[in-house]
Amino acid sequence: MIAYLEAKRAGLFKKPHWANNLLAGIIVGIVALPLAMAFAIASGAKPEQGIYTAIVAGGISSLLGGSRLQISGPTGAFIVILAGITAEYGIAGLQMATLMAGFILLMMGLVRFGAVIKYIPDPVIVGFTSGIAIIIWVGQWKDFFGLNPTLGAAHFHEKVWDLIVAFPSVHLQTTLLALLTLLIVIYSPRVFKRIPSPLIAMVVVTAIQASFNFKGVATIGSAFGGIPQSLPEFEFLPIRFSQVLQLIGPAFTIALLGAIESLLSAVVADSMTNTKHDSNQELIGQGVANIFSPLFGGFASTGAIARTATNIRNGATGPLAGIVHTITLVFIVLVFAPLAAHIPLCTLSAILFIVAYNMSEMHRFSHMVRTAPKADVVVLIITFLLTILTDLVLAVNIGVMLAALLFMKRMSEAVSIKQQSIEELIQETGNKSLILPDNVAIFTMEGPFFFGVTERLMIALETAHTHADILVLRMENVPIIDATGLQTFWDLMKKCERNHTRLILCQVRPNILEKMERAGIAQKMGEENIIRHIHMLNVPV
């Protein structure tokens, strides 16, 4: 359900809801301001482009998304990916990749791909988010300490080494301002409970820098020339086929990460408010948001967990708060943009230090390492290390692949294939007069019959039916079968035919029987060899 329509139907735009949503929207708009600028700079874009992203994408997703309380905009999770795209293809390439990602997200929602995204395992999600947090943290050392490292290092460990080598050039005033920002962000909520701590820190440290004008302290003005006191104009992106081909990979990466982050944020909103989002509509809303964001000078956007939580904690009940958040940012740009030139970059870096710490989920990571099964811990560590040492795409792909293989292994181990004795059969049926000849072997199978268990079935039956004239396979507790399972039955029938063994299937579920009929197995076996219940077993003694 579209967030706007659902909220309107629920009466959330009526007067009793105005006050809470206006307050929540203003607060979350103020919170979004420093974050949007910080994420933009860290992604290789201009600070105003982060604000434009929050304005355009935040407003669209609030209206068209599947979660009525979601706040969207640039996020920390995107920094690693977007910075790499900007470095290789420039800001124009980043905007084109965002546009393409928007259409991919739109298609994901239209083909109802939202539910599939939910099945990415926790070890993979925690692994790559923690890895991204480390990269963000290290990436902010330069501006936090005022360093001048050697540029051009391609790999994470090389960048770390270059930063360490550059530490003797630490700029004292920059570092002190960054530390002051850090302290204010951490401790000001104890005093000012309703005022966002990043805003307090930014205002205080910016005022100090504007008053004393410390030499060597980089600011938005010195680095970017300030922020324009105007809104961006709509502009079509020049589309070149060769560029589109180059950006298919990055676009899919943005779309995948955007889908994961927005749906995780929507789940958090549901848990805080006891609501239920529409995952497919959320992908559609995020898709439209990412299509229009680059057309107004912005870049990639997704649901922001921290801003969504802030929105809810301050009393938001519907998308009106998201709309007010957008209007608040527009007002700030039109009225206060000239003042942004004095904001020190080290202040934004300090804010990103806090973002990286919160994003790292350090406690969840350590708890999973201590308590999760060893195989899951291996997936967690591999995803984490690959995110840091290689790239996010490889990390997520390998993490999901390992988790899928691990799941299939566990599923195959959960499948039970055991032979039944005549005594067990008599006890189950209650038929004490039941007599079966010695040349009958009865097996009971429980669990999904897929490619991961076919070998186990063949091994289990190998010895039994070598000397059996009749082989009965009970399948009452087999819920599904795949193509490999069907092929296994063809192989089993051929083997039974060679050994002159009669194969009988018992208690086959209708959905399984339908697939067997389509595959020609049922016709090949004959109706007399597919029985509804073990009571119907009639073999000569």
Side-chain angles (χ1 to χ4, degrees):
M1 174 61 69
I2 297 175
Y4 172 79
L5 297 179
E6 183 195 16
K8 188 175 181 181
R9 186 178 293 115
L12 297 178
F13 286 103
K14 293 182 179 179
K15 198 169 182 179
H17 293 276
W18 286 4
N20 284 347
N21 284 288
L22 285 170
L23 177 62
I26 291 170
I27 290 175
V28 81
I30 293 171
V31 169
L33 177 67
L35 294 177
M37 292 190 292
F39 293 147
I41 294 170
S43 300
K46 294 180 179 180
E48 64 266 24
Q49 290 180 296
I51 301 176
Y52 299 158
T53 303
I55 291 172
V56 177
I60 291 174
S61 62
S62 290
L63 292 173
L64 302 181
S67 172
R68 66 191 187 198
L69 295 166
Q70 179 91 282
I71 299 295
S72 298
T75 65
F78 271 150
I79 287 177
V80 178
I81 294 298
L82 304 190
I85 297 172
T86 306
E88 187 170 354
Y89 303 103
I91 193 65
L94 172 60
Q95 291 180 318
M96 178 55 67
T98 299
L99 180 70
M100 294 167 61
F103 282 106
I104 294 170
L105 283 165
L106 184 62
M107 290 304 300
M108 283 182 177
L110 292 175
V111 299
R112 310 191 68 78
F113 200 66
V116 178
I117 297 291
K118 296 178 183 178
Y119 296 115
I120 296 179
D122 267 1
V124 176
I125 293 174
V126 174
F128 80 70
T129 51
S130 297
I132 290 172
I134 295 295
I135 296 173
I136 293 172
W137 177 59
V138 172
Q140 296 308 306
W141 289 3
K142 175 181 176 294
D143 289 333
F144 189 95
F145 297 106
L147 303 177
N148 293 301
T150 304
L151 300 177
H155 301 289
F156 177 78
H157 66 280
E158 294 172 337
K159 293 176 182 177
V160 172
W161 178 250
D162 287 345
L163 287 166
I164 292 173
V165 170
F167 256 95
S169 66
V170 167
H171 190 265
L172 181 61
Q173 291 91 335
T174 297
T175 305
L176 290 175
L177 288 175
L179 290 172
L180 176 61
T181 303
L182 212 56
L183 291 173
I184 293 174
V185 172
I186 294 171
Y187 293 106
S188 65
R190 300 182 182 182
V191 180
F192 305 100
K193 299 187 183 299
R194 298 303 294 268
I195 304 176
S197 59
L199 176 67
I200 297 173
M202 189 176 69
V203 170
V204 170
V205 177
T206 299
I208 293 173
Q209 173 60 23
S211 301
F212 294 96
N213 195 24
F214 296 115
K215 292 183 179 179
V217 175
T219 64
I220 287 180
S222 64
F224 301 98
I227 293 177
Q229 195 174 5
S230 62
L231 297 177
E233 296 180 358
F234 179 87
E235 185 178 351
F236 283 109
L237 299 180
I239 299 176
R240 299 193 307 274
F241 185 68
S242 59
Q243 185 187 39
V244 170
L245 291 178
Q246 286 180 323
L247 292 172
I248 287 176
F252 267 101
T253 304
I254 292 173
L256 177 62
L257 187 56
I260 294 171
E261 281 290 306
S262 61
L263 294 180
L264 282 176
S265 181
V267 169
V268 170
D270 288 348
S271 66
M272 294 178 70
T273 59
N274 197 29
T275 56
K276 186 172 178 60
H277 73 280
D278 183 331
S279 57
N280 295 306
Q281 184 60 44
E282 181 61 27
L283 293 182
I284 291 172
Q286 294 295 337
V288 176
N290 279 280
I291 289 171
F292 280 93
S293 176
L295 299 179
F296 284 95
F299 53 87
S301 164
T302 187
I305 296 176
R307 272 160 278 171
T308 299
T310 301
N311 190 40
I312 294 168
R313 290 193 191 104
N314 284 280
T317 59
L320 178 60
I323 298 168
V324 173
H325 143 267
T326 295
I327 296 171
T328 301
L329 288 171
V330 170
F331 177 79
I332 291 172
V333 169
L334 295 178
V335 177
F336 298 106
L339 301 177
H342 299 289
I343 298 174
L345 298 185
C346 62
T347 296
L348 300 180
S349 291
I351 292 171
L352 286 184
F353 268 30
I354 301 297
V355 170
Y357 175 78
N358 293 333
M359 188 176 174
S360 70
E361 297 189 281
M362 189 181 300
H363 300 297
R364 190 178 177 191
F365 188 98
S366 60
H367 181 266
M368 192 173 289
V369 169
R370 292 194 311 270
T371 61
K374 290 182 180 179
D376 288 314
V377 174
V378 170
V379 173
L380 170 71
I381 299 298
I382 288 176
T383 306
F384 173 74
L385 292 176
L386 286 176
T387 301
I388 294 175
L389 301 176
T390 58
D391 63 78
L392 181 63
V393 181
L394 183 65
V396 172
N397 286 341
I398 291 182
V400 170
M401 182 184 68
L402 290 175
L405 291 173
L406 179 61
F407 173 76
M408 286 185 286
K409 180 177 180 293
R410 288 170 174 166
M411 286 294 291
S412 66
E413 291 173 349
V415 174
S416 170
I417 304 169
K418 62 181 181 178
Q419 188 170 2
Q420 276 191 299
S421 65
I422 183 65
E423 290 78 12
E424 291 173 333
L425 200 58
I426 290 173
Q427 186 176 3
E428 179 187 339
T429 61
N431 184 4
K432 296 182 180 179
S433 62
L434 181 65
I435 300 175
L436 292 176
D438 295 335
N439 61 349
V440 175
I442 301 177
F443 279 81
T444 299
M445 184 176 178
E446 296 183 3
F449 194 174
F450 70 110
F451 62 90
V453 300
T454 53
E455 185 179 357
R456 287 186 58 206
L457 175 65
M458 298 303 289
I459 292 173
L461 300 180
E462 187 73 35
T463 305
H465 81 257
T466 299
H467 303 293
D469 292 331
I470 299 173
L471 175 64
V472 181
L473 190 58
R474 302 183 66 185
M475 300 178 62
E476 180 183 12
N477 295 315
V478 176
I480 59 171
I481 188 170
D482 68 356
T484 307
L486 293 171
Q487 183 59 45
T488 299
F489 270 106
W490 278 109
D491 296 339
L492 183 58
M493 284 192 298
K494 291 176 183 177
K495 189 170 288 188
C496 288
E497 195 173 329
R498 287 196 303 269
N499 294 332
H500 305 288
T501 301
R502 180 186 174 189
L503 177 63
I504 298 177
L505 301 184
C506 178
Q507 296 163 286
V508 183
R509 292 191 179 189
N511 62 313
I512 306 290
L513 187 57
E514 181 186 354
K515 292 180 180 180
M516 287 183 166
E517 289 172 348
R518 284 208 307 265
I521 295 172
Q523 294 87 332
K524 176 71 174 176
M525 291 187 64
E527 293 182 5
E528 69 279 6
N529 291 319
I530 301 178
I531 60 177
R532 295 179 183 175
H533 199 275
I534 195 66
H535 291 291
M536 301 172 66
L537 183 62
N538 182 23
V539 295
V541 179

